[in-house]
Amino acid sequence: QVQLVESGGGLVQAGGSLRLSCAASGGTSSNYAMGWFRQAPGKEREFVAALRWSFGATSYADSVKGRFTISRDNAKNTMYLEMNSLKPEDTAVYACAARRGSLLSRKASDYDYWGQGTQVTVSS
């Protein structure tokens, strides 16, 4: 059973930066894809970014492209989301997810495992 634990959320002013971490344990391997999703109050969960663990291929939502960077540290079995130039509309609960296979899916329903989420609040 894969466990995912996020950390790094918090309160930041518009234009600031945060780095989220997602520590994976319990059976992840190179044949996994991982992603970040977010959900703001009253809104549906939306895709943010995804990463293919083995080769590092990435995919981003248009709303964060050029501002957010997804990466991983193989030795630490940890995925990151570096968020720069944050905007109030980035405020949401951010959750990491993992799926077997290499498909960089943007659909939450394609992911098998989820973390509990971490709150990111961007003040104007």
Side-chain angles (χ1 to χ4, degrees):
Q1 184 74 9
V2 174
Q3 292 90 39
L4 303 173
V5 179
E6 303 96 337
S7 61
L11 173 64
V12 64
Q13 287 189 332
S17 299
L18 280 175
R19 188 177 79 158
L20 305 183
S21 300
C22 174
S25 62
T28 53
S29 72
S30 60
N31 191 32
Y32 269 76
M34 297 185 70
W36 287 99
F37 290 79
R38 66 186 183 186
Q39 187 166 20
K43 295 189 176 181
E44 292 188 355
R45 180 181 291 174
E46 66 170 343
F47 169 78
V48 176
L51 173 145
R52 185 174 296 146
W53 196 266
S54 57
F55 296 107
T58 59
S59 176
Y60 294 93
D62 289 343
S63 59
V64 306
K65 200 174 294 183
R67 299 188 298 123
F68 291 11
T69 302
I70 190 172
S71 63
R72 90 275 195 225
D73 184 325
N74 288 337
K76 295 183 178 179
N77 227 22
T78 298
M79 177 177 67
Y80 303 98
L81 185 69
E82 185 76 35
M83 305 185 294
N84 298 314
S85 302
L86 282 162
K87 305 175 182 180
E89 52 263 43
D90 294 317
T91 295
V93 174
Y94 285 70
C96 65
R99 66 178 305 278
R100 303 178 195 88
S102 59
L103 176 65
L104 293 180
S105 176
R106 297 182 173 219
K107 293 170 55 180
S109 59
D110 284 339
Y111 288 79
D112 304 302
Y113 305 100
W114 289 85
Q116 80 288 352
T118 185
Q119 177 70 46
V120 171
T121 302
V122 184
S123 63
S124 57

